[in-house]
Amino acid sequence: RRSSDLDWADGFSAGPPSDETTAAQIARFEGEDFDAVVVSWTEAARRLDDLARAEGVEPPIGDIVCHEQDLRGALGCQGARDSAALWYVSDRLLANLETPVPLRVRVEDGEYVTPSATSGTEIGLCTSRFEALRWRTGRRSPSQLAAMDWSEDPTPLLDHLYMFGPTSTELIE
C-alpha cells in the first residue's frame, strides 16, 4: 500500500494529485492501524531521502512541512510554526512569487518584493511565514486570503498567489 509519498518514491507521482488521486491514496489506508500508517510513511521518507541523494535533488521538504501542518490541523495540535524547515520553505515560496502588479510581503523577519509583469501601485501584505506557507499551498480560501492585512484591495493579485488551490472551504487552524 502506498501513500502519496510512497507513490512518489515508487515513481508513480507526476505532480500535484487530483482529488481522485488523493481519494484513492486515502482509501489504500482505510481500516489500517495508525502505527502501520506511520511505518509506511517512515519507509517512504527513507526511500525519498535515498532517491534525492542518488539523483542529486533536494528532498521534498516543502511537501513534508506542508503536510505536517495539515496533520497538526486535523489533530488540533498546533506547533512547528516557527521551525527552521517551515521558514526555509516559506522563504522559497515567497521568493518565487510572480504577480501582475508589484507586491511587497512583510513577514516576521523581513520582506519580499515580487517582480511584476506591469507597473502600478505596489500592494502590501503583512503576514506570517506560517500563513504564507498555507496560502501559497492552497490551504486558504480566496475570502480568507482577501481578509488578510493588505495595504489596499488585493483583488488583482489573488489568483496569482496560490501555487496549488485555492481551497473552496475555509480552513481554520
Side-chain angles (χ1 to χ4, degrees):
R1 293 190 178 183
R2 294 185 290 266
S3 71
S4 62
D5 287 337
L6 284 171
D7 286 348
W8 192 354
D10 288 341
F12 293 115
S13 181
S18 65
D19 289 344
E20 294 78 19
T21 302
T22 300
Q25 292 165 348
I26 291 168
R28 285 184 211 139
F29 285 98
E30 189 172 349
E32 288 287 333
D33 176 76
F34 180 77
D35 291 336
V37 174
V38 171
V39 167
S40 293
W41 287 349
T42 301
E43 174 60 15
R46 184 196 59 76
R47 290 182 27 236
L48 280 172
D49 196 37
D50 291 347
L51 181 64
R53 264 196 299 277
E55 297 193 11
V57 297
E58 182 176 293
I61 298 167
D63 196 45
I64 293 165
V65 168
C66 183
H67 294 305
E68 174 189 359
Q69 292 301 324
D70 292 341
L71 288 169
R72 288 179 172 283
L75 297 172
C77 181
Q78 287 185 1
R81 291 184 176 189
D82 62 352
S83 71
L86 189 141
W87 284 47
Y88 172 80
V89 172
S90 67
D91 177 68
R92 307 275 305 257
L93 292 171
L94 290 168
N96 291 320
L97 269 171
E98 293 183 20
T99 56
V101 297
L103 170 65
R104 182 176 305 271
V105 179
R106 290 181 181 87
V107 293
E108 296 89 334
D109 63 330
E111 59 186 34
Y112 297 81
V113 179
T114 65
S116 61
T118 63
S119 60
T121 303
E122 180 179 274
I123 297 175
L125 170 62
C126 290
T127 190
S128 67
R129 288 186 171 278
F130 170 77
E131 282 299 324
L133 167 79
R134 301 310 276 164
W135 53 259
R136 283 289 281 149
T137 58
R139 271 56 175 192
R140 297 294 180 258
S141 69
S143 63
Q144 285 177 301
L145 188 53
M148 291 185 178
D149 186 8
W150 294 95
S151 64
E152 58 186 88
D153 180 12
T155 301
L157 298 170
L158 294 180
D159 289 342
H160 303 275
L161 299 179
Y162 295 101
M163 194 168 88
F164 306 113
T167 182
S168 58
T169 59
E170 303 222 340
L171 181 60
I172 308 299
E173 299 175 283

